[in-house]
Amino acid sequence: MQRRFTLKALTAAVALSSLSIIPAHAADTIKVGVLHSLSGTMAISETVLKDTVLMAIDEINAKGGVLGKKLEPVVVDPASNWPLFAEKTKQLLGQDKVAVIFGCWTSVSRKSVLPVVEEMNGLLFYPVQYEGEELSKNVFYTGAAPNQQAIPAVDYLMSKAGGG
């Protein structure tokens, strides 16, 4: 289920960005940023996410790419260093000219990246649950916020089926 969502999200994000919403692609490829820690304390969790994004890119490319263009991953390692997440985001958007970024695993990494993504009008897909109370047109929050889990749980517990 997570893999299927990643494939759909990656395809949608790249398709949107390649329609000149974000002019960040070469003639025959569309660059996709991968911003996950491959070293440091968070590498054990984030390396798998990097592998999932690369697998999705391979599958999309094997089917002809997006809008006839192959996806080109640009992988960077912010090394579990929160300020480095912001620097690597500047690199991906400014120097590498990626159309979209898939990355971050912790709230502190997302909060480090957020002002950069907004200032440079980038697009970030954040793959995990978050605290809520944050909204940006430059971030797709793919995980649930607390109210998205708590309200259905309380409704169930209060229902006849839940014993209430």
Side-chain angles (χ1 to χ4, degrees):
M1 179 97 130
Q2 179 68 24
R3 187 169 149 239
R4 183 174 296 141
F5 176 80
T6 301
L7 281 170
K8 288 179 181 178
L10 185 60
T11 302
V14 173
L16 286 172
S17 63
S18 64
L19 292 172
S20 297
I21 292 171
I22 302 171
H25 51 84
D28 57 343
T29 64
I30 300 170
K31 292 183 178 183
V32 176
V34 183
L35 181 69
H36 286 298
S37 294
L38 308 178
S39 60
T41 57
M42 295 307 299
I44 193 164
S45 298
E46 295 189 57
T47 301
V48 175
L49 296 169
K50 182 258 316 174
D51 293 342
T52 302
V53 172
L54 293 179
M55 181 176 62
I57 288 172
D58 287 344
E59 288 183 21
I60 292 167
N61 283 341
K63 293 179 181 180
V66 175
L67 301 174
K69 297 176 187 248
K70 297 289 183 179
L71 303 181
E72 178 186 339
V74 179
V75 179
V76 295
D77 178 15
S80 305
N81 178 324
W82 317 132
L84 193 54
F85 270 86
E87 289 179 39
K88 293 294 184 179
T89 300
K90 285 179 187 171
Q91 173 193 326
L92 287 169
L93 293 172
Q95 179 183 333
D96 298 320
K97 305 289 186 202
V98 300
V100 63
I101 297 172
F102 285 80
C104 303
W105 177 254
T106 64
S107 295
V108 69
S109 64
R110 183 190 77 249
K111 290 198 176 282
S112 176
V113 164
L114 183 61
V116 177
V117 171
E118 289 179 338
E119 178 185 320
M120 299 181 79
N121 199 29
L123 185 60
L124 170 69
F125 272 73
Y126 181 67
V128 292
Q129 297 174 327
Y130 76 112
E131 310 74 32
E133 298 186 22
E134 177 180 294
L135 178 64
S136 173
K137 68 181 180 99
N138 299 89
V139 180
F140 278 84
Y141 303 89
T142 64
N147 66 309
Q148 293 171 308
Q149 294 178 324
I151 292 171
V154 170
D155 288 347
Y156 173 76
L157 291 172
M158 298 301 290
S159 74
K160 198 168 200 154

